[in-house]
Amino acid sequence: MSRRNRATAPEAGPGRPTVTVCRGCCCGTADKVPYLDHEAQAADLRSALAGVALVRRSDCLDVCERANVIVIQPSAAGRRAGGRPVWLGQVNDPDAAADITAWVRAGGPGLAEPPDVLDLYAFTPSRRVRGELGER
């Protein structure tokens, strides 16, 4: 992946990255992660990425053991550059959400290197789970 700065991030429009925030049965509930304001985390992502990425809510991504889960799908340009969806689990820290925001604002998968700290959250879900999100 190549490094890009904010000035070369993709323009807003249909080719934007997509950030899917799981907020169903386990992710997004105080039962599983009681110390996090789940709605505020989703609202902060939506606000910080307005015009840069589509932020959508999923009822359940079926990886409950990794609550809270966020998936970053590349923009069309990011996909052409070799970017693939990145699954992040246990995103229960405001600093992690800020790192995700900075990376997506810089271009996201395929267009910008993620902050090294996000390696701590990255995982590969089963093929079945990836297929349900429309990944290959």
Side-chain angles (χ1 to χ4, degrees):
M1 286 192 249
S2 64
R3 289 197 179 266
R4 303 240 176 157
N5 62 29
R6 190 170 177 201
T8 60
E11 292 185 25
R16 300 180 291 176
T18 300
V19 177
T20 303
V21 181
C22 188
R23 285 295 177 262
C25 61
C26 294
C27 296
T29 67
D31 293 340
K32 186 81 171 194
V33 186
Y35 55 86
L36 181 70
D37 185 340
H38 302 276
E39 291 307 315
Q41 183 188 53
D44 289 348
L45 284 167
R46 194 172 289 110
S47 174
L49 294 172
V52 174
L54 170 65
V55 178
R56 65 183 185 173
R57 178 187 182 114
S58 172
D59 283 335
C60 186
L61 293 172
D62 202 19
V63 283
C64 300
E65 69 279 5
R66 297 194 184 259
N68 287 321
V69 175
I70 296 176
V71 182
I72 298 93
Q73 294 175 282
S75 64
R79 176 123 358 228
R80 284 191 300 275
R84 296 292 174 256
V86 175
W87 288 68
L88 303 170
Q90 299 171 319
V91 183
N92 303 321
D93 182 295
D95 291 337
D99 289 331
I100 292 166
T101 297
W103 177 40
V104 172
R105 291 186 71 76
L111 298 178
E113 289 291 330
D116 290 338
V117 71
L118 291 184
D119 289 346
L120 298 172
Y121 302 93
F123 71 98
T124 302
S126 71
R127 191 176 324 172
R128 177 189 59 79
V129 169
R130 290 190 320 261
E132 290 174 5
L133 192 62
E135 295 179 32
R136 294 181 199 152

